[in-house]
Amino acid sequence: MHTPNILVINQLSDRHISAITNSVPGCSIISCDLADAEKYIDTAEIIVAWGWMDLQELYLKAPKLRWVHALSAGVEKMLFPEMISSSTLLTNSRGIHGIPMSEHVISMILAFTRGLNVFIKQQQQRVWKRTALEEIHEKTIGIIGLGSIGREIAKRAKGLGMRVVASKREMTTELFVDTLYTSNQIEEVLAVSDFVVVTLPETKQTQGLFTLNLFKLMKPSAYFINVARGSIVKEDDLSIALSQGIIKGAALDVFENEPLPESSPLWDVPNVIITPHIAAISPHYLDRAMKLFCENLACYCGGQEMVNIIDKTKGY
Ligand code: OXD
């Protein structure tokens, strides 16, 4: 079996290093921070890093590199021109985000329906005041960009008695979706949804997709939840939609600029829950990511078909 040199730009535990060497005995692994990676780049055939790391400079100094693997689902920073036009393989960690991200989305929906966003603020001010509350039972969730994350959200939403509609590029048979639309029919999803959840990848087609015109198609009572990428939403338009009551509220985990600048109007809009890009965080994340990488590594070294290969022209 082929035994490559692997440069992992993340600190790995002994357990993770053993998992790699168990899947391909004889391979060599360096685990370091981005600042130190240049020292080891000469011999690296595989780089494992996060999709938000700027690897362009390192990439240009890597004579033996054949494969870059992202520990994240997003690979936006890895799609620089030299990478796109090269034959370097690019893979990501899609498929491991479903559990934490669906739990995050359901918790945002429950936070709005049970008034937690209001009551937590009131508690800080020692205020005892009731407000109108809702149920999620028989409410409609609309998942824009149904994939492995959306499917986990759909499963949990169905379990809570919700109606599930979704949009997706290709039509498939979906166990937990009541009505599936194509990606050209997003309007239909927006019109019927009480909660709109974005789980699209960032691509040229999805950048800036959510403008005021789309928010205007949503119900005024509806909530918008973005756990995908901030660039998919025109943030100024979202602020207008929220402050003018075009939609009721939003739970936002991702932003055009991260960290969200202190000057952003979104901090002050009522009915907005802001989280710092944590929807996928889980104590099991790295274990799942390394398992996926090790399985792919065994395929790479054994000449078998690999999974999660990014189509660099499409961007996902
Ligand atoms: C990812 C993320 O891309 O968590 O993996 O945003």
Side-chain angles (χ1 to χ4, degrees), residues 9-10 34 47-56 68-80 83 90-93 97 202 229 277 285 310:
I9 309 181
N10 195 68
L34 186 55
I47 292 181
V48 178
W50 295 90
W52 42 261
M53 283 178 171
D54 197 342
L55 291 188
Q56 188 168 16
V68 175
H69 176 72
L71 290 166
S72 46
V75 289
E76 55 274 26
K77 283 272 186 171
M78 291 176 165
L79 288 169
F80 42 85
M83 168 65 100
L90 179 62
T91 55
N92 74 352
S93 296
H97 298 67
E202 178 185 317
R229 282 294 180 264
H277 200 148
Y285 190 96
I310 301 290

PDB file of all heavy atoms in Angstrom, residues 9-10 34 47-56 68-80 83 90-93 97 202 229 277 285 310:
ATOM      1  N   ILE A   9      -3.024  20.325   9.663  1.00  0.00           N
ATOM      2  CA  ILE A   9      -2.889  21.666  10.247  1.00  0.00           C
ATOM      3  C   ILE A   9      -3.970  21.819  11.321  1.00  0.00           C
ATOM      4  O   ILE A   9      -4.983  22.505  11.166  1.00  0.00           O
ATOM      5  CB  ILE A   9      -2.933  22.755   9.162  1.00  0.00           C
ATOM      6  CG1 ILE A   9      -1.927  22.400   8.069  1.00  0.00           C
ATOM      7  CG2 ILE A   9      -2.617  24.125   9.772  1.00  0.00           C
ATOM      8  CD1 ILE A   9      -1.828  23.381   6.951  1.00  0.00           C
ATOM      9  N   ASN A  10      -3.763  21.122  12.374  1.00  0.00           N
ATOM     10  CA  ASN A  10      -4.645  21.112  13.549  1.00  0.00           C
ATOM     11  C   ASN A  10      -3.934  20.224  14.565  1.00  0.00           C
ATOM     12  O   ASN A  10      -3.250  19.273  14.169  1.00  0.00           O
ATOM     13  CB  ASN A  10      -6.001  20.475  13.193  1.00  0.00           C
ATOM     14  CG  ASN A  10      -7.069  20.749  14.237  1.00  0.00           C
ATOM     15  OD1 ASN A  10      -7.500  21.870  14.408  1.00  0.00           O
ATOM     16  ND2 ASN A  10      -7.479  19.723  14.954  1.00  0.00           N
ATOM     17  N   LEU A  34      -0.960  26.396  11.595  1.00  0.00           N
ATOM     18  CA  LEU A  34      -0.743  26.969  10.259  1.00  0.00           C
ATOM     19  C   LEU A  34       0.596  27.727  10.199  1.00  0.00           C
ATOM     20  O   LEU A  34       1.324  27.642   9.209  1.00  0.00           O
ATOM     21  CB  LEU A  34      -1.922  27.887   9.892  1.00  0.00           C
ATOM     22  CG  LEU A  34      -1.949  28.460   8.485  1.00  0.00           C
ATOM     23  CD1 LEU A  34      -1.859  27.376   7.417  1.00  0.00           C
ATOM     24  CD2 LEU A  34      -3.202  29.304   8.244  1.00  0.00           C
ATOM     25  N   ILE A  47      -2.549  17.403   2.627  1.00  0.00           N
ATOM     26  CA  ILE A  47      -2.760  18.398   3.689  1.00  0.00           C
ATOM     27  C   ILE A  47      -4.179  18.219   4.226  1.00  0.00           C
ATOM     28  O   ILE A  47      -5.138  18.122   3.451  1.00  0.00           O
ATOM     29  CB  ILE A  47      -2.605  19.850   3.173  1.00  0.00           C
ATOM     30  CG1 ILE A  47      -1.157  20.143   2.778  1.00  0.00           C
ATOM     31  CG2 ILE A  47      -3.069  20.854   4.216  1.00  0.00           C
ATOM     32  CD1 ILE A  47      -0.930  21.569   2.271  1.00  0.00           C
ATOM     33  N   VAL A  48      -4.282  18.186   5.542  1.00  0.00           N
ATOM     34  CA  VAL A  48      -5.594  18.164   6.193  1.00  0.00           C
ATOM     35  C   VAL A  48      -5.708  19.489   6.945  1.00  0.00           C
ATOM     36  O   VAL A  48      -4.836  19.812   7.768  1.00  0.00           O
ATOM     37  CB  VAL A  48      -5.703  16.975   7.173  1.00  0.00           C
ATOM     38  CG1 VAL A  48      -7.058  16.979   7.879  1.00  0.00           C
ATOM     39  CG2 VAL A  48      -5.482  15.656   6.445  1.00  0.00           C
ATOM     40  N   ALA A  49      -6.737  20.271   6.644  1.00  0.00           N
ATOM     41  CA  ALA A  49      -6.843  21.613   7.262  1.00  0.00           C
ATOM     42  C   ALA A  49      -8.314  21.997   7.329  1.00  0.00           C
ATOM     43  O   ALA A  49      -9.185  21.209   6.950  1.00  0.00           O
ATOM     44  CB  ALA A  49      -6.066  22.604   6.405  1.00  0.00           C
ATOM     45  N   TRP A  50      -8.600  23.197   7.789  1.00  0.00           N
ATOM     46  CA  TRP A  50      -9.985  23.686   7.839  1.00  0.00           C
ATOM     47  C   TRP A  50     -10.260  24.539   6.605  1.00  0.00           C
ATOM     48  O   TRP A  50      -9.375  25.277   6.158  1.00  0.00           O
ATOM     49  CB  TRP A  50     -10.211  24.505   9.113  1.00  0.00           C
ATOM     50  CG  TRP A  50     -10.084  23.667  10.354  1.00  0.00           C
ATOM     51  CD1 TRP A  50      -8.938  23.450  11.054  1.00  0.00           C
ATOM     52  CD2 TRP A  50     -11.112  22.920  11.006  1.00  0.00           C
ATOM     53  NE1 TRP A  50      -9.188  22.601  12.114  1.00  0.00           N
ATOM     54  CE2 TRP A  50     -10.526  22.263  12.115  1.00  0.00           C
ATOM     55  CE3 TRP A  50     -12.471  22.727  10.773  1.00  0.00           C
ATOM     56  CZ2 TRP A  50     -11.240  21.441  12.966  1.00  0.00           C
ATOM     57  CZ3 TRP A  50     -13.187  21.915  11.635  1.00  0.00           C
ATOM     58  CH2 TRP A  50     -12.579  21.286  12.716  1.00  0.00           C
ATOM     59  N   GLY A  51     -11.497  24.455   6.114  1.00  0.00           N
ATOM     60  CA  GLY A  51     -11.851  25.168   4.886  1.00  0.00           C
ATOM     61  C   GLY A  51     -11.758  26.675   5.004  1.00  0.00           C
ATOM     62  O   GLY A  51     -11.720  27.385   4.003  1.00  0.00           O
ATOM     63  N   TRP A  52     -11.698  27.181   6.236  1.00  0.00           N
ATOM     64  CA  TRP A  52     -11.590  28.628   6.429  1.00  0.00           C
ATOM     65  C   TRP A  52     -10.135  29.078   6.532  1.00  0.00           C
ATOM     66  O   TRP A  52      -9.853  30.254   6.735  1.00  0.00           O
ATOM     67  CB  TRP A  52     -12.396  29.078   7.642  1.00  0.00           C
ATOM     68  CG  TRP A  52     -12.274  28.185   8.847  1.00  0.00           C
ATOM     69  CD1 TRP A  52     -13.166  27.220   9.228  1.00  0.00           C
ATOM     70  CD2 TRP A  52     -11.223  28.149   9.811  1.00  0.00           C
ATOM     71  NE1 TRP A  52     -12.733  26.590  10.371  1.00  0.00           N
ATOM     72  CE2 TRP A  52     -11.541  27.142  10.757  1.00  0.00           C
ATOM     73  CE3 TRP A  52     -10.036  28.864   9.983  1.00  0.00           C
ATOM     74  CZ2 TRP A  52     -10.720  26.834  11.839  1.00  0.00           C
ATOM     75  CZ3 TRP A  52      -9.228  28.555  11.063  1.00  0.00           C
ATOM     76  CH2 TRP A  52      -9.570  27.558  11.968  1.00  0.00           C
ATOM     77  N   MET A  53      -9.186  28.129   6.403  1.00  0.00           N
ATOM     78  CA  MET A  53      -7.774  28.526   6.495  1.00  0.00           C
ATOM     79  C   MET A  53      -7.283  28.980   5.120  1.00  0.00           C
ATOM     80  O   MET A  53      -7.571  28.316   4.118  1.00  0.00           O
ATOM     81  CB  MET A  53      -6.922  27.332   6.930  1.00  0.00           C
ATOM     82  CG  MET A  53      -7.039  27.035   8.391  1.00  0.00           C
ATOM     83  SD  MET A  53      -6.037  25.584   8.777  1.00  0.00           S
ATOM     84  CE  MET A  53      -6.119  25.631  10.552  1.00  0.00           C
ATOM     85  N   ASP A  54      -6.522  30.062   5.114  1.00  0.00           N
ATOM     86  CA  ASP A  54      -6.000  30.555   3.854  1.00  0.00           C
ATOM     87  C   ASP A  54      -4.738  29.770   3.502  1.00  0.00           C
ATOM     88  O   ASP A  54      -3.668  30.014   4.047  1.00  0.00           O
ATOM     89  CB  ASP A  54      -5.699  32.058   4.006  1.00  0.00           C
ATOM     90  CG  ASP A  54      -5.551  32.697   2.646  1.00  0.00           C
ATOM     91  OD1 ASP A  54      -5.337  31.951   1.666  1.00  0.00           O
ATOM     92  OD2 ASP A  54      -5.668  33.931   2.567  1.00  0.00           O
ATOM     93  N   LEU A  55      -4.870  28.809   2.566  1.00  0.00           N
ATOM     94  CA  LEU A  55      -3.759  27.898   2.268  1.00  0.00           C
ATOM     95  C   LEU A  55      -2.995  28.288   1.000  1.00  0.00           C
ATOM     96  O   LEU A  55      -2.069  27.583   0.609  1.00  0.00           O
ATOM     97  CB  LEU A  55      -4.299  26.477   2.058  1.00  0.00           C
ATOM     98  CG  LEU A  55      -4.860  25.731   3.266  1.00  0.00           C
ATOM     99  CD1 LEU A  55      -5.147  24.295   2.880  1.00  0.00           C
ATOM    100  CD2 LEU A  55      -3.897  25.760   4.441  1.00  0.00           C
ATOM    101  N   GLN A  56      -3.413  29.380   0.361  1.00  0.00           N
ATOM    102  CA  GLN A  56      -2.872  29.666  -0.972  1.00  0.00           C
ATOM    103  C   GLN A  56      -1.340  29.721  -0.987  1.00  0.00           C
ATOM    104  O   GLN A  56      -0.689  29.086  -1.812  1.00  0.00           O
ATOM    105  CB  GLN A  56      -3.456  30.976  -1.495  1.00  0.00           C
ATOM    106  CG  GLN A  56      -3.101  31.231  -2.950  1.00  0.00           C
ATOM    107  CD  GLN A  56      -3.905  32.375  -3.541  1.00  0.00           C
ATOM    108  OE1 GLN A  56      -4.502  33.156  -2.790  1.00  0.00           O
ATOM    109  NE2 GLN A  56      -3.931  32.479  -4.842  1.00  0.00           N
ATOM    110  N   VAL A  68      -5.836  17.730  -0.829  1.00  0.00           N
ATOM    111  CA  VAL A  68      -6.136  18.605   0.318  1.00  0.00           C
ATOM    112  C   VAL A  68      -7.504  18.178   0.869  1.00  0.00           C
ATOM    113  O   VAL A  68      -8.485  18.073   0.118  1.00  0.00           O
ATOM    114  CB  VAL A  68      -6.183  20.102  -0.096  1.00  0.00           C
ATOM    115  CG1 VAL A  68      -6.615  20.962   1.083  1.00  0.00           C
ATOM    116  CG2 VAL A  68      -4.825  20.550  -0.625  1.00  0.00           C
ATOM    117  N   HIS A  69      -7.546  17.903   2.169  1.00  0.00           N
ATOM    118  CA  HIS A  69      -8.807  17.495   2.790  1.00  0.00           C
ATOM    119  C   HIS A  69      -9.240  18.553   3.805  1.00  0.00           C
ATOM    120  O   HIS A  69      -8.445  18.954   4.662  1.00  0.00           O
ATOM    121  CB  HIS A  69      -8.641  16.141   3.494  1.00  0.00           C
ATOM    122  CG  HIS A  69      -9.884  15.735   4.237  1.00  0.00           C
ATOM    123  ND1 HIS A  69     -11.028  15.317   3.587  1.00  0.00           N
ATOM    124  CD2 HIS A  69     -10.182  15.724   5.556  1.00  0.00           C
ATOM    125  CE1 HIS A  69     -11.964  15.054   4.489  1.00  0.00           C
ATOM    126  NE2 HIS A  69     -11.478  15.300   5.690  1.00  0.00           N
ATOM    127  N   ALA A  70     -10.493  18.984   3.705  1.00  0.00           N
ATOM    128  CA  ALA A  70     -11.024  19.976   4.658  1.00  0.00           C
ATOM    129  C   ALA A  70     -11.724  19.260   5.806  1.00  0.00           C
ATOM    130  O   ALA A  70     -12.582  18.401   5.579  1.00  0.00           O
ATOM    131  CB  ALA A  70     -12.003  20.903   3.945  1.00  0.00           C
ATOM    132  N   LEU A  71     -11.369  19.643   7.020  1.00  0.00           N
ATOM    133  CA  LEU A  71     -12.036  19.088   8.208  1.00  0.00           C
ATOM    134  C   LEU A  71     -13.451  19.646   8.346  1.00  0.00           C
ATOM    135  O   LEU A  71     -14.258  19.130   9.103  1.00  0.00           O
ATOM    136  CB  LEU A  71     -11.222  19.421   9.457  1.00  0.00           C
ATOM    137  CG  LEU A  71      -9.882  18.684   9.575  1.00  0.00           C
ATOM    138  CD1 LEU A  71      -9.001  19.325  10.634  1.00  0.00           C
ATOM    139  CD2 LEU A  71     -10.084  17.205   9.859  1.00  0.00           C
ATOM    140  N   SER A  72     -13.728  20.721   7.616  1.00  0.00           N
ATOM    141  CA  SER A  72     -15.055  21.358   7.636  1.00  0.00           C
ATOM    142  C   SER A  72     -15.847  20.926   6.403  1.00  0.00           C
ATOM    143  O   SER A  72     -15.309  20.256   5.515  1.00  0.00           O
ATOM    144  CB  SER A  72     -14.867  22.871   7.605  1.00  0.00           C
ATOM    145  OG  SER A  72     -13.910  23.196   6.617  1.00  0.00           O
ATOM    146  N   ALA A  73     -17.097  21.373   6.347  1.00  0.00           N
ATOM    147  CA  ALA A  73     -17.891  21.155   5.134  1.00  0.00           C
ATOM    148  C   ALA A  73     -17.544  22.243   4.115  1.00  0.00           C
ATOM    149  O   ALA A  73     -17.344  21.973   2.932  1.00  0.00           O
ATOM    150  CB  ALA A  73     -19.371  21.197   5.475  1.00  0.00           C
ATOM    151  N   GLY A  74     -17.454  23.487   4.597  1.00  0.00           N
ATOM    152  CA  GLY A  74     -17.142  24.606   3.707  1.00  0.00           C
ATOM    153  C   GLY A  74     -15.678  24.554   3.273  1.00  0.00           C
ATOM    154  O   GLY A  74     -14.799  24.229   4.059  1.00  0.00           O
ATOM    155  N   VAL A  75     -15.429  24.868   1.995  1.00  0.00           N
ATOM    156  CA  VAL A  75     -14.043  24.872   1.482  1.00  0.00           C
ATOM    157  C   VAL A  75     -13.743  26.214   0.820  1.00  0.00           C
ATOM    158  O   VAL A  75     -12.840  26.320  -0.002  1.00  0.00           O
ATOM    159  CB  VAL A  75     -13.818  23.730   0.461  1.00  0.00           C
ATOM    160  CG1 VAL A  75     -13.802  22.378   1.128  1.00  0.00           C
ATOM    161  CG2 VAL A  75     -14.850  23.760  -0.660  1.00  0.00           C
ATOM    162  N   GLU A  76     -14.519  27.254   1.201  1.00  0.00           N
ATOM    163  CA  GLU A  76     -14.470  28.510   0.461  1.00  0.00           C
ATOM    164  C   GLU A  76     -13.071  29.099   0.326  1.00  0.00           C
ATOM    165  O   GLU A  76     -12.678  29.570  -0.736  1.00  0.00           O
ATOM    166  CB  GLU A  76     -15.462  29.530   1.022  1.00  0.00           C
ATOM    167  CG  GLU A  76     -15.358  29.858   2.505  1.00  0.00           C
ATOM    168  CD  GLU A  76     -16.141  28.896   3.403  1.00  0.00           C
ATOM    169  OE1 GLU A  76     -16.353  27.750   3.000  1.00  0.00           O
ATOM    170  OE2 GLU A  76     -16.513  29.313   4.519  1.00  0.00           O
ATOM    171  N   LYS A  77     -12.249  29.038   1.373  1.00  0.00           N
ATOM    172  CA  LYS A  77     -10.907  29.640   1.303  1.00  0.00           C
ATOM    173  C   LYS A  77      -9.942  28.753   0.513  1.00  0.00           C
ATOM    174  O   LYS A  77      -8.828  29.151   0.197  1.00  0.00           O
ATOM    175  CB  LYS A  77     -10.351  29.828   2.720  1.00  0.00           C
ATOM    176  CG  LYS A  77     -10.936  30.997   3.439  1.00  0.00           C
ATOM    177  CD  LYS A  77     -10.150  32.241   3.135  1.00  0.00           C
ATOM    178  CE  LYS A  77     -10.671  33.359   3.986  1.00  0.00           C
ATOM    179  NZ  LYS A  77      -9.909  34.541   3.973  1.00  0.00           N
ATOM    180  N   MET A  78     -10.349  27.513   0.248  1.00  0.00           N
ATOM    181  CA  MET A  78      -9.449  26.598  -0.442  1.00  0.00           C
ATOM    182  C   MET A  78      -9.623  26.683  -1.954  1.00  0.00           C
ATOM    183  O   MET A  78      -8.874  26.076  -2.701  1.00  0.00           O
ATOM    184  CB  MET A  78      -9.708  25.168   0.020  1.00  0.00           C
ATOM    185  CG  MET A  78      -9.296  24.937   1.461  1.00  0.00           C
ATOM    186  SD  MET A  78      -9.725  23.302   2.002  1.00  0.00           S
ATOM    187  CE  MET A  78      -8.739  23.181   3.508  1.00  0.00           C
ATOM    188  N   LEU A  79     -10.627  27.423  -2.390  1.00  0.00           N
ATOM    189  CA  LEU A  79     -10.908  27.461  -3.832  1.00  0.00           C
ATOM    190  C   LEU A  79     -10.236  28.668  -4.493  1.00  0.00           C
ATOM    191  O   LEU A  79     -10.886  29.467  -5.152  1.00  0.00           O
ATOM    192  CB  LEU A  79     -12.420  27.464  -4.058  1.00  0.00           C
ATOM    193  CG  LEU A  79     -13.086  26.112  -3.758  1.00  0.00           C
ATOM    194  CD1 LEU A  79     -14.594  26.243  -3.742  1.00  0.00           C
ATOM    195  CD2 LEU A  79     -12.655  25.054  -4.762  1.00  0.00           C
ATOM    196  N   PHE A  80      -8.924  28.788  -4.330  1.00  0.00           N
ATOM    197  CA  PHE A  80      -8.182  29.874  -4.987  1.00  0.00           C
ATOM    198  C   PHE A  80      -7.833  29.396  -6.407  1.00  0.00           C
ATOM    199  O   PHE A  80      -7.864  28.179  -6.691  1.00  0.00           O
ATOM    200  CB  PHE A  80      -6.952  30.265  -4.167  1.00  0.00           C
ATOM    201  CG  PHE A  80      -6.195  29.112  -3.593  1.00  0.00           C
ATOM    202  CD1 PHE A  80      -5.239  28.459  -4.338  1.00  0.00           C
ATOM    203  CD2 PHE A  80      -6.479  28.646  -2.308  1.00  0.00           C
ATOM    204  CE1 PHE A  80      -4.549  27.377  -3.817  1.00  0.00           C
ATOM    205  CE2 PHE A  80      -5.801  27.561  -1.777  1.00  0.00           C
ATOM    206  CZ  PHE A  80      -4.833  26.927  -2.539  1.00  0.00           C
ATOM    207  N   MET A  83      -5.604  26.324  -7.166  1.00  0.00           N
ATOM    208  CA  MET A  83      -6.215  25.058  -6.751  1.00  0.00           C
ATOM    209  C   MET A  83      -7.289  24.638  -7.765  1.00  0.00           C
ATOM    210  O   MET A  83      -7.349  23.486  -8.192  1.00  0.00           O
ATOM    211  CB  MET A  83      -6.835  25.236  -5.350  1.00  0.00           C
ATOM    212  CG  MET A  83      -7.728  24.127  -4.905  1.00  0.00           C
ATOM    213  SD  MET A  83      -6.853  22.591  -4.702  1.00  0.00           S
ATOM    214  CE  MET A  83      -6.626  22.569  -2.953  1.00  0.00           C
ATOM    215  N   LEU A  90      -9.516  17.674  -3.930  1.00  0.00           N
ATOM    216  CA  LEU A  90     -10.010  18.437  -2.783  1.00  0.00           C
ATOM    217  C   LEU A  90     -11.233  17.698  -2.235  1.00  0.00           C
ATOM    218  O   LEU A  90     -12.168  17.391  -2.985  1.00  0.00           O
ATOM    219  CB  LEU A  90     -10.385  19.862  -3.225  1.00  0.00           C
ATOM    220  CG  LEU A  90     -10.934  20.787  -2.147  1.00  0.00           C
ATOM    221  CD1 LEU A  90      -9.915  21.020  -1.030  1.00  0.00           C
ATOM    222  CD2 LEU A  90     -11.334  22.146  -2.746  1.00  0.00           C
ATOM    223  N   THR A  91     -11.190  17.365  -0.955  1.00  0.00           N
ATOM    224  CA  THR A  91     -12.340  16.688  -0.333  1.00  0.00           C
ATOM    225  C   THR A  91     -12.756  17.476   0.911  1.00  0.00           C
ATOM    226  O   THR A  91     -11.976  18.268   1.439  1.00  0.00           O
ATOM    227  CB  THR A  91     -11.982  15.241   0.095  1.00  0.00           C
ATOM    228  OG1 THR A  91     -10.836  15.285   0.943  1.00  0.00           O
ATOM    229  CG2 THR A  91     -11.717  14.343  -1.088  1.00  0.00           C
ATOM    230  N   ASN A  92     -13.987  17.226   1.364  1.00  0.00           N
ATOM    231  CA  ASN A  92     -14.444  17.913   2.578  1.00  0.00           C
ATOM    232  C   ASN A  92     -15.059  16.918   3.557  1.00  0.00           C
ATOM    233  O   ASN A  92     -15.036  15.706   3.322  1.00  0.00           O
ATOM    234  CB  ASN A  92     -15.418  19.045   2.222  1.00  0.00           C
ATOM    235  CG  ASN A  92     -16.784  18.516   1.819  1.00  0.00           C
ATOM    236  OD1 ASN A  92     -16.991  17.323   1.651  1.00  0.00           O
ATOM    237  ND2 ASN A  92     -17.720  19.419   1.642  1.00  0.00           N
ATOM    238  N   SER A  93     -15.594  17.440   4.651  1.00  0.00           N
ATOM    239  CA  SER A  93     -16.138  16.565   5.704  1.00  0.00           C
ATOM    240  C   SER A  93     -17.657  16.566   5.718  1.00  0.00           C
ATOM    241  O   SER A  93     -18.271  16.422   6.773  1.00  0.00           O
ATOM    242  CB  SER A  93     -15.599  17.000   7.070  1.00  0.00           C
ATOM    243  OG  SER A  93     -14.211  16.836   7.103  1.00  0.00           O
ATOM    244  N   HIS A  97     -22.075  16.692   9.975  1.00  0.00           N
ATOM    245  CA  HIS A  97     -22.608  17.875  10.672  1.00  0.00           C
ATOM    246  C   HIS A  97     -24.061  17.737  11.111  1.00  0.00           C
ATOM    247  O   HIS A  97     -24.580  18.579  11.843  1.00  0.00           O
ATOM    248  CB  HIS A  97     -22.528  19.103   9.755  1.00  0.00           C
ATOM    249  CG  HIS A  97     -21.136  19.467   9.371  1.00  0.00           C
ATOM    250  ND1 HIS A  97     -20.351  18.668   8.572  1.00  0.00           N
ATOM    251  CD2 HIS A  97     -20.387  20.540   9.671  1.00  0.00           C
ATOM    252  CE1 HIS A  97     -19.176  19.240   8.399  1.00  0.00           C
ATOM    253  NE2 HIS A  97     -19.165  20.373   9.065  1.00  0.00           N
ATOM    254  N   GLU A 202     -22.025  27.422  -0.004  1.00  0.00           N
ATOM    255  CA  GLU A 202     -21.704  28.706  -0.649  1.00  0.00           C
ATOM    256  C   GLU A 202     -21.126  28.426  -2.037  1.00  0.00           C
ATOM    257  O   GLU A 202     -20.123  27.730  -2.170  1.00  0.00           O
ATOM    258  CB  GLU A 202     -20.662  29.466   0.182  1.00  0.00           C
ATOM    259  CG  GLU A 202     -20.268  30.766  -0.492  1.00  0.00           C
ATOM    260  CD  GLU A 202     -19.149  31.517   0.224  1.00  0.00           C
ATOM    261  OE1 GLU A 202     -19.183  31.611   1.454  1.00  0.00           O
ATOM    262  OE2 GLU A 202     -18.264  32.000  -0.483  1.00  0.00           O
ATOM    263  N   ARG A 229     -23.969  29.778   5.228  1.00  0.00           N
ATOM    264  CA  ARG A 229     -22.895  30.758   5.109  1.00  0.00           C
ATOM    265  C   ARG A 229     -23.502  32.145   5.050  1.00  0.00           C
ATOM    266  O   ARG A 229     -24.538  32.343   4.399  1.00  0.00           O
ATOM    267  CB  ARG A 229     -22.065  30.521   3.830  1.00  0.00           C
ATOM    268  CG  ARG A 229     -21.068  29.376   3.941  1.00  0.00           C
ATOM    269  CD  ARG A 229     -19.980  29.683   4.961  1.00  0.00           C
ATOM    270  NE  ARG A 229     -19.000  28.617   5.116  1.00  0.00           N
ATOM    271  CZ  ARG A 229     -19.031  27.673   6.045  1.00  0.00           C
ATOM    272  NH1 ARG A 229     -20.013  27.638   6.915  1.00  0.00           N
ATOM    273  NH2 ARG A 229     -18.076  26.772   6.123  1.00  0.00           N
ATOM    274  N   HIS A 277     -21.129  31.299  14.923  1.00  0.00           N
ATOM    275  CA  HIS A 277     -20.754  30.202  14.001  1.00  0.00           C
ATOM    276  C   HIS A 277     -20.388  28.921  14.771  1.00  0.00           C
ATOM    277  O   HIS A 277     -19.266  28.426  14.682  1.00  0.00           O
ATOM    278  CB  HIS A 277     -19.596  30.629  13.087  1.00  0.00           C
ATOM    279  CG  HIS A 277     -19.490  29.796  11.841  1.00  0.00           C
ATOM    280  ND1 HIS A 277     -19.048  30.287  10.636  1.00  0.00           N
ATOM    281  CD2 HIS A 277     -19.764  28.480  11.614  1.00  0.00           C
ATOM    282  CE1 HIS A 277     -19.051  29.329   9.725  1.00  0.00           C
ATOM    283  NE2 HIS A 277     -19.485  28.207  10.293  1.00  0.00           N
ATOM    284  N   TYR A 285     -17.023  16.153  17.193  1.00  0.00           N
ATOM    285  CA  TYR A 285     -16.733  16.617  15.825  1.00  0.00           C
ATOM    286  C   TYR A 285     -15.430  16.018  15.276  1.00  0.00           C
ATOM    287  O   TYR A 285     -15.401  15.423  14.202  1.00  0.00           O
ATOM    288  CB  TYR A 285     -16.663  18.157  15.785  1.00  0.00           C
ATOM    289  CG  TYR A 285     -16.611  18.648  14.357  1.00  0.00           C
ATOM    290  CD1 TYR A 285     -17.756  19.046  13.699  1.00  0.00           C
ATOM    291  CD2 TYR A 285     -15.417  18.673  13.642  1.00  0.00           C
ATOM    292  CE1 TYR A 285     -17.728  19.468  12.376  1.00  0.00           C
ATOM    293  CE2 TYR A 285     -15.375  19.082  12.313  1.00  0.00           C
ATOM    294  CZ  TYR A 285     -16.537  19.484  11.688  1.00  0.00           C
ATOM    295  OH  TYR A 285     -16.509  19.878  10.374  1.00  0.00           O
ATOM    296  N   ILE A 310     -14.714  17.305  -3.972  1.00  0.00           N
ATOM    297  CA  ILE A 310     -15.343  18.581  -4.356  1.00  0.00           C
ATOM    298  C   ILE A 310     -15.177  18.788  -5.864  1.00  0.00           C
ATOM    299  O   ILE A 310     -14.090  18.602  -6.399  1.00  0.00           O
ATOM    300  CB  ILE A 310     -14.639  19.754  -3.623  1.00  0.00           C
ATOM    301  CG1 ILE A 310     -14.736  19.588  -2.109  1.00  0.00           C
ATOM    302  CG2 ILE A 310     -15.176  21.111  -4.072  1.00  0.00           C
ATOM    303  CD1 ILE A 310     -16.084  19.777  -1.512  1.00  0.00           C
TER     304      ILE A 310
END
